[in-house]
Amino acid sequence: MSDLPACPQCECQWTYEDGALLVCPECAHEWSAEAATPVGDGETVRVWRDANGAELADGDTVTVIKDLKIKGTSQVVKVGTKVKNIRLTDGDHDIDCRIDGVGQMGLKTEFVKKV
């Protein structure tokens, strides 16, 4: 029996290693082995990391590292935009936040760095 964690998206137990990543054969979800750390009774706690690998937590302040086009509008979130008081979530976009001049928004952790 493998001691690899189950897939965080579909809970499939047949995950396998592919280099530094873990892969789910059912839903094709890929995640790093450090992103899920085991807790006492086999459950996992998700750890969110920014583009530089720094651990993120609710309430942190981050900056955007790439111009991000906002879907459905002609607005752009510029590089260096500071986002305060982030809220971490599970799903496609890992960060829920409010950006001045734009409003409520979801961001991916790969496009931000911790301040």
Side-chain angles (χ1 to χ4, degrees):
M1 180 80 185
S2 172
D3 62 343
L4 296 175
C7 175
Q9 282 193 329
C10 70
E11 300 299 321
C12 172
Q13 64 180 350
W14 305 110
T15 58
Y16 63 91
E17 288 182 281
D18 185 21
L21 296 176
L22 297 174
V23 181
C24 175
E26 289 186 3
C27 68
H29 178 65
E30 296 179 349
W31 69 101
S32 73
E34 296 90 37
T37 55
V39 179
D41 60 354
E43 292 190 21
T44 57
V45 174
R46 175 139 185 228
V47 176
W48 289 268
R49 299 196 182 274
D50 69 1
N52 296 331
E55 192 171 317
L56 296 172
D58 284 338
D60 281 347
T61 300
V62 296
T63 58
V64 177
I65 62 168
K66 176 183 175 184
D67 282 348
L68 301 173
K69 294 180 182 176
I70 301 172
K71 202 178 245 184
T73 69
S74 61
Q75 289 182 312
V76 175
V77 177
K78 295 285 191 179
V79 172
T81 301
K82 188 181 278 189
V83 182
K84 298 178 184 178
N85 199 18
I86 64 170
R87 195 171 56 249
L88 299 170
T89 62
D90 288 324
D92 187 29
H93 291 80
D94 304 319
I95 299 173
D96 280 340
C97 60
R98 185 179 189 305
I99 299 176
D100 293 335
V102 177
Q104 275 306 113
M105 199 169 177
L107 297 173
K108 293 186 178 188
T109 55
E110 64 196 71
F111 299 122
V112 299
K113 71 176 182 178
K114 190 172 182 176
V115 173

